Amino acid sequence: MRKANPVLRVIAIVAILAVFLAPFWILTTISFKPSTDTSSYWLFSSTPTMNNIKAAIEKAGIFGAIGRTAFITVCVVVLEVIVSAFAAYPLARRNTKFNKVVQAFILGIMMVPPLSILVSLYSIIVSIHGVNQYWAVILVLLTYQLPQGIFLYANFIRSIPVALDEAATIDGCGPGRTFFLVIMPQLKPVTATVAILSSVNCWNDFQFSRYILQTSRMNTVTLSISSFFSQTYIDLSTATACALIAILPVVICFLILQKYFIQGMIDSSVK
Amino acid sequence: MQSKNRTINLFYVPALVLFAFFVVYPFVKGIYLSMTNWNGYSRSFKIIGLANYKNLFADKNVRRAFVNTLIYGAGSTVIQNILGILLAVFLNQKFRGRGFVRTVIYLPVMIAPLIMGYIMYFFFNYSRGALNDILKILSLAPVDWLADGNRSVWILTLVNSLQFVGISMVIYLAGLQNIPGMYYEAAAIDGINSSQKFFCITLPLLMPAITSAVTLNLIGGLKLYDVIIALTGGGPGYDTNSLSTLIYRYYFGGERAGYASAIGLVMFVFIMIVSNIVVRGLQKRQVEL
């Protein structure tokens, strides 16, 4: 193997780090810059201030938005784990033609761009009085997260020996008890994957929340940040401080659970 | 036994009910609405047949959004895959700090694309933007990056690609680690050079990883929405709209629900066809290996 040039390598590393860390650096410098400080965004202010952070917490109520987003995320993830694990079991175990059709249908939904059916989906949500209701955004997010969950669970269940199910059946378990007593206890690792992937998606969602949650008192993280940036009088520093606070939980979770995030990504991509 | 077996199909009923109500029903209703002149809230509207479809093919905003959507999809796919493979090959070498570099590259994947778009505003802004500050240091004239629609489309493609290149990198790293070392050893005995090694061994054996990464990037790029809203809002004019943002704009901004519905259906069919052709094509290549 040819030895890579160490100098070139260092240059490459520095360039990569510069490009990928720059957004985070700029976000930080602006969040701590007083509004009177007109120095370059690249420079950390010589007179840093906490006012933007304070405004983000007190005026913009970013913690409230984080709380609402967390609530929606937890509801979606819990429901998704239950519904998709159940749905995956027959698809993994009963290879009838009909079930193959069902599975192809579910995989197809993964490709559907949700905005292509925006008009009718929104009109349906209006007709069931779902606008400005948490349950509506939870159900819609859940629906569009489900295919990935079902896919991951079905793949995982296929790797569990069928002999275990058969043994349970001989011992007199019905499909329900087989699922609860034999299959479920083994699903821990894949459940972590499903939960991690869909929490990121829910936490970062904008396209669904934007039209289902229209009142500002229900703003999620992305909604409150976007309302800040799109106001006519733009208080950019407060908006950036909101963004900084909002990404912290995700960044911290990622740094701690990195291994699971990346393994989950790989599991979900291999088709 | 048979009946017992069939009862387990009941397990997927809750999922199918949700799909029926929030995917299939809206889809069918969308077909119906696309043949009306509904404005989005009024109770009365007329069925106007295929007029919406006829109009949309003549609408230059739709044509523009259509081309943009293709650029967002194809451009992101090409950039993310080339860059993803390069980064993966680079970070598959053993050196100190490579774990840290991988983490940094993957970190933006966690951020909401909407927030990434707003952060990018501080880079591409004309008067105070971070990029123009660099140009100033190099004593070059500042550029109004987002004033030109054609350039903005590529800026958005690049922003989306760099934010999510970590996904491709991780997929390719996993792919590289699955290639048995003996292939390289055998090739080394045959005396091949490093570019032959890459194109004759590494790349063909990465085909499954390429299929996964291309599929993910393509679907992601064709659906591009959040980052456009944040960085350009579809502007200047209608120049950077994707089909997704255009539908939103026509529906909520223009009160043309029937028309937006028709665009949605064309988009749906278009994305299904493109993704299926690409995925099938790639899978065929895998079998041939």
Side-chain angles (χ1 to χ4, degrees), chain A residues 199-249:
Chain A
S199 12
V200 175
N201 289 338
C202 292
W203 188 271
N204 290 342
D205 174 71
F206 176 64
Q207 53 180 5
F208 290 120
S209 335
R210 189 185 191 196
Y211 60 88
I212 299 178
L213 303 176
Q214 295 171 349
T215 140
S216 60
R217 69 189 159 80
M218 298 180 112
N219 268 355
T220 60
V221 166
T222 49
L223 288 174
S224 64
I225 289 171
S226 87
S227 76
F228 249 99
F229 273 99
S230 52
Q231 274 162 16
T232 36
Y233 165 70
I234 306 182
D235 182 3
L236 282 180
S237 321
T238 311
T240 30
C242 282
L244 183 69
I245 297 173
I247 67 169
L248 274 183

Side-chain angles (χ1 to χ4, degrees), chain A residues 147-270:
Chain A
Q148 187 180 49
I150 296 176
F151 170 77
L152 286 165
Y153 274 115
N155 274 355
F156 191 87
I157 294 174
R158 282 195 192 100
S159 71
I160 301 173
V162 189
L164 287 178
D165 298 42
E166 285 159 0
T169 312
I170 291 167
D171 289 345
C173 285
R177 281 181 66 196
T178 310
F179 180 73
F180 281 111
L181 299 176
V182 179
I183 302 293
M184 228 158 52
Q186 308 189 54
L187 295 181
K188 253 185 236 153
V190 64
T191 301
T193 305
V194 172
I196 278 175
L197 288 175
S198 63
S199 12
V200 175
N201 289 338
C202 292
W203 188 271
N204 290 342
D205 174 71
F206 176 64
Q207 53 180 5
F208 290 120
S209 335
R210 189 185 191 196
Y211 60 88
I212 299 178
L213 303 176
Q214 295 171 349
T215 140
S216 60
R217 69 189 159 80
M218 298 180 112
N219 268 355
T220 60
V221 166
T222 49
L223 288 174
S224 64
I225 289 171
S226 87
S227 76
F228 249 99
F229 273 99
S230 52
Q231 274 162 16
T232 36
Y233 165 70
I234 306 182
D235 182 3
L236 282 180
S237 321
T238 311
T240 30
C242 282
L244 183 69
I245 297 173
I247 67 169
L248 274 183
V250 198
V251 170
I252 292 169
C253 279
F254 172 66
L255 293 179
I256 296 171
L257 301 169
Q258 205 186 132
K259 210 172 62 187
Y260 301 96
F261 275 94
I262 288 176
Q263 193 53 47
M265 191 61 241
I266 293 169
D267 290 345
S268 72
S269 72
V270 183

